[in-house]
Amino acid sequence: MVFTTINIGFYTSKITKIKNSNFVICSILGLFTTTLLAGFWAIFERINIEFHVFFLVLNIGIYVRFKSEIHLIYKSLFQKLEALTLSLKVILFSTTLLILAQCASVPYIIDNESYYIQTIKWINEYGFVKGLANLHIFLAQTSGWHIAQSVFSFSFLYPNFNDLSGFFLLLGNIYAFPHLNAYFKNKESNHLIIGLLPLANIFFFSFISTPSPDLPIYILSLILFFKFTENYKNGNPETFHLISLLVFFAVFIKTTSIVLVLIPLVLFAKHYKMLIPEIVKPVVIGLLVLLLFTIKNTIISGYPLFPAVANPFSFDFQIPEAMAHFYYDETRTAAFSLTETQFDSLGIFEVFKIWIFRPGLHGLFNTLILVLLVITPAFIFKFFNKKPFWMLYGILFFQMIVLFLSSPQYRFFMNAVLFFTFLIASTILSTQKSIVISLFSSLGILIVILMVPFNLSLFTTNVHLKNNSTLSVSEIVFPHSNSKFDLRYQSIKNGNLLYNSPINNTFFWGSGDGKLPCVNKDQLEYFEVYYKIIPQLRTTHLKDGFYAKNISNESN
């Protein structure tokens, strides 16, 4: 991962004329370009050994051509690590070991069992498949992060590489510690805000044993916020290009982060005279990302802007509008634990009360974001009374409104929670001693959580999330499989489709790590009974995809 992302990231910086020597930024840019390359490749072919032959040649070519310049990036990293205080070195080294341990342990996030694993397997074995969402509607959510993970799964070598989120969290920590070290010397609050990122590892660790798209959004957002506040007043084309690329990456990973587009737009409005001559390059890259996004969506679901069903074209593999509306209604009401009928019958204030008083972590974080939205302006006014902080507050407030009207799951606005929390915490943890003690304390909590099983019923009502992910001795050598469930499967034939369904699986959307094509029979039976549709193969080959067959006439 390091070799690839640094080489590709260096070349990305060279093409876009971003003068960057920061190891983490270089690696993130490499991930971005890798994701785009893999995404366009997956339109035509699978992300498998053929892609890796091309990718290895590309990497070696870049490294050989620019070896001395690339070495300077590594040298810069080692110099920054060497400059850390002893306590920060110990904490970073320990954090690295714990990230490795967490990645090797049982996956925690339940979405991993519904569509993460299967999405990546389909990309590894077939690339983007026409109408794949007809088989499992959640597969229409194929994220840029899953495309990136499909590159680093090395599925032709080993089945249990699933660690991209862990790698990205490590990058986030490596980015934070030198800034924290800089704060110890210069006392600039911006450096402290980003430097406190490791305190959130307690929260981040639940995401990193799966390729969750949420984790990179949190890290990218914090880096973006830092770059924005640092460069708002004295912006330059290079910083604008970098921020634009990071935002494009975030939106391609998760469309709920679309509001982040306001960050480069605000910078452009502030420095438009300087940036107008430089606008072509980020616009071209943005259009390239949009093109890949719409092609991906069209192939998998039949709709360029899924879940929006507006489409001037009609494809035989297009999922029925009824299914698309079902998906949208499910995601919209999931944040409230309401049915569509219940949601539509309630007023906005009643829905808001339900959202606030939801049980477990949902209600806790929903309340927390409201409290932070109320009190943060007071802290900004007293300690950070500068325009970029007010701008960021306005952008994140707007994000909250957009999410509440669409799908206000607490995971989607955690970037705001983290930024506001670190901003407030930076006014309290202002001394080196208090910061180091806090970091060691969080490290101790992480060790306990990773080694000791806990019942989490107090925080969640989901039966599949009531036990934390802990490390066993055997996993130090042999990582846990990509699925948390040890499932057996049965082959079921429905029309011309022969699929694998998990046996005795109570998770309606669950498919685990079953052999392709895999979907829970209860799910297919639900759509067959209530929507009179079943997925069928378009040809005799899985690569050619699926269509939704209407069986209403047959049942009559």
Side-chain angles (χ1 to χ4, degrees):
M1 288 180 184
V2 170
F3 179 75
T4 297
T5 58
I6 293 299
N7 293 340
I8 301 295
F10 167 81
Y11 199 62
T12 301
S13 298
K14 207 165 190 64
I15 292 173
T16 55
K17 296 183 178 178
I18 297 172
K19 294 179 182 177
N20 167 66
S21 60
N22 185 282
F23 177 89
V24 171
I25 297 298
C26 186
S27 185
I28 293 174
L29 290 176
L31 272 174
F32 176 47
T33 303
T34 298
T35 303
L36 294 183
L37 287 172
F40 281 107
W41 183 285
I43 296 171
F44 308 101
E45 294 292 341
R46 62 182 187 166
I47 304 298
N48 210 291
I49 191 168
E50 306 89 348
F51 176 81
H52 281 279
V53 170
F54 152 75
F55 208 46
L56 181 61
V57 171
L58 178 63
N59 264 283
I60 292 174
I62 292 172
Y63 179 76
V64 170
R65 172 68 178 81
F66 302 103
K67 181 167 59 175
S68 58
E69 294 174 76
I70 291 173
H71 283 179
L72 291 177
I73 297 173
Y74 290 99
K75 184 178 180 180
S76 174
L77 170 67
F78 294 137
Q79 287 174 343
K80 287 183 178 180
L81 296 181
E82 181 64 30
L84 295 179
T85 64
L86 179 60
S87 57
L88 292 186
K89 287 178 182 176
V90 170
I91 295 168
L92 178 56
F93 178 74
S94 303
T95 300
T96 303
L97 293 181
L98 291 175
I99 288 173
L100 289 169
Q102 182 70 68
C103 286
S105 67
V106 181
Y108 180 73
I109 301 295
I110 195 62
D111 283 346
N112 188 56
E113 309 300 331
S114 60
Y115 75 100
Y116 292 179
I117 297 172
Q118 291 294 314
T119 295
I120 294 161
K121 288 183 73 168
W122 278 105
I123 296 173
N124 281 148
E125 295 190 28
Y126 298 101
F128 297 147
V129 174
K130 292 178 180 176
L132 183 60
N134 287 303
L135 180 69
H136 192 314
I137 188 65
F138 283 13
L139 295 174
Q141 301 179 90
T142 297
S143 163
W145 199 239
H146 299 138
I147 297 171
Q149 177 63 76
S150 73
V151 174
F152 297 105
S153 293
F154 301 100
S155 58
F156 56 94
L157 295 176
Y158 184 69
N160 295 345
F161 289 138
N162 208 31
D163 308 324
L164 186 59
S165 291
F167 174 68
F168 207 78
L169 179 57
L170 180 58
L171 290 179
N173 277 266
I174 291 173
Y175 189 79
F177 276 94
H179 285 95
L180 194 56
N181 200 53
Y183 169 77
F184 292 161
K185 299 174 183 177
N186 60 33
K187 299 300 178 183
E188 292 183 11
S189 56
N190 272 7
H191 290 274
L192 178 56
I193 292 172
I194 187 68
L196 291 177
L197 182 150
L199 289 179
N201 284 338
I202 296 170
F203 173 72
F204 292 147
F205 263 51
S206 61
F207 293 90
I208 64 172
S209 52
T210 65
S212 168
D214 295 304
L215 188 281
I217 296 301
Y218 304 149
I219 304 297
L220 279 173
S221 294
L222 291 170
I223 293 174
L224 278 166
F225 300 158
F226 172 75
K227 288 288 184 183
F228 177 77
T229 53
E230 281 285 287
N231 296 279
Y232 176 79
K233 186 176 180 180
N234 301 308
N236 58 72
E238 291 181 11
T239 302
F240 177 71
H241 290 167
L242 174 60
I243 287 177
S244 297
L245 264 60
L246 295 181
V247 168
F248 295 150
F249 193 19
V251 175
F252 191 57
I253 289 172
K254 204 169 183 71
T255 53
T256 53
S257 62
I258 187 66
V259 174
L260 295 179
V261 170
L262 292 175
I263 291 177
L265 289 179
V266 168
L267 272 181
F268 181 78
K270 171 72 173 174
H271 304 285
Y272 71 94
K273 289 183 180 178
M274 179 197 307
L275 297 177
I276 282 178
E278 305 289 337
I279 197 64
V280 173
K281 198 165 292 182
V283 167
V284 169
I285 295 173
L287 290 174
L288 195 66
V289 173
L290 180 61
L291 177 66
L292 178 56
F293 177 79
T294 54
I295 292 174
K296 167 186 71 73
N297 283 356
T298 302
I299 292 174
I300 296 172
S301 70
Y303 299 103
L305 300 176
F306 181 86
V309 294
N311 189 357
F313 307 104
S314 179
F315 305 100
D316 68 290
F317 57 84
Q318 192 169 287
I319 63 175
E321 282 194 24
M323 281 185 70
H325 287 302
F326 170 84
Y327 167 83
Y328 175 76
D329 292 333
E330 280 288 304
T331 54
R332 181 182 60 150
T333 59
F336 307 98
S337 292
L338 297 171
T339 64
E340 182 187 356
T341 304
Q342 289 172 328
F343 184 87
D344 291 338
S345 67
L346 297 174
I348 189 70
F349 183 69
E350 293 171 303
V351 170
F352 181 74
K353 284 198 302 183
I354 291 171
W355 180 75
I356 284 292
F357 295 110
R358 282 199 64 188
L361 286 177
H362 291 276
L364 176 65
F365 281 114
N366 293 345
T367 303
L368 179 60
I369 185 60
L370 286 180
V371 171
L372 288 171
L373 284 172
V374 171
I375 68 172
T376 298
F379 282 88
I380 294 177
F381 181 77
K382 185 173 182 180
F383 299 101
F384 307 94
N385 198 8
K386 297 177 182 177
K387 203 167 185 179
F389 286 96
W390 289 112
M391 287 284 188
L392 270 183
Y393 177 81
I395 290 170
L396 294 174
F397 190 92
F398 178 66
Q399 174 185 267
M400 186 62 211
I401 295 173
V402 171
L403 288 174
F404 185 77
L405 294 175
S406 54
S407 181
Q409 299 181 44
Y410 77 86
R411 294 179 296 123
F412 298 166
F413 52 74
M414 278 304 297
N415 58 350
V417 170
L418 290 166
F419 178 68
F420 293 154
T421 301
F422 291 154
L423 185 145
I424 294 170
S426 69
T427 67
I428 301 168
L429 299 174
S430 56
T431 66
Q432 182 171 340
K433 183 178 180 181
S434 62
I435 293 167
V436 170
I437 290 173
S438 299
L439 289 172
F440 272 114
S441 299
S442 66
L443 200 62
I445 295 171
L446 275 177
I447 293 171
V448 172
I449 292 174
L450 186 60
M451 300 301 175
V452 181
F454 289 96
N455 188 310
L456 302 176
S457 300
L458 182 64
F459 301 103
T460 179
T461 56
N462 191 319
V463 295
H464 302 295
L465 301 176
K466 289 189 174 181
N467 296 301
N468 59 313
S469 174
T470 56
L471 181 73
S472 69
V473 175
S474 62
E475 288 162 355
I476 295 174
V477 180
F478 301 105
H480 194 279
S481 62
N482 290 344
S483 173
K484 71 192 304 180
F485 301 130
D486 185 18
L487 298 173
R488 293 185 300 113
Y489 295 83
Q490 58 180 331
S491 294
I492 300 175
K493 191 169 180 63
N494 189 353
N496 72 355
L497 174 65
L498 181 65
Y499 67 95
N500 298 295
S501 175
I503 300 172
N504 298 326
N505 182 20
T506 58
F507 182 28
F508 180 79
W509 299 109
S511 49
D513 199 9
K515 184 179 178 181
L516 304 182
C518 184
V519 61
N520 192 330
K521 66 180 180 64
D522 295 340
Q523 185 185 145
L524 295 193
E525 289 171 358
Y526 175 87
F527 286 106
E528 183 175 352
V529 171
Y530 292 100
Y531 290 86
K532 304 300 179 184
I533 51 178
I534 60 172
Q536 295 288 277
L537 293 172
R538 296 175 67 238
T539 69
T540 56
H541 302 289
L542 284 177
K543 170 62 179 172
D544 294 326
F546 304 85
Y547 73 98
K549 181 179 180 181
N550 190 319
I551 60 169
S552 55
N553 293 331
E554 296 179 13
S555 60
N556 291 333

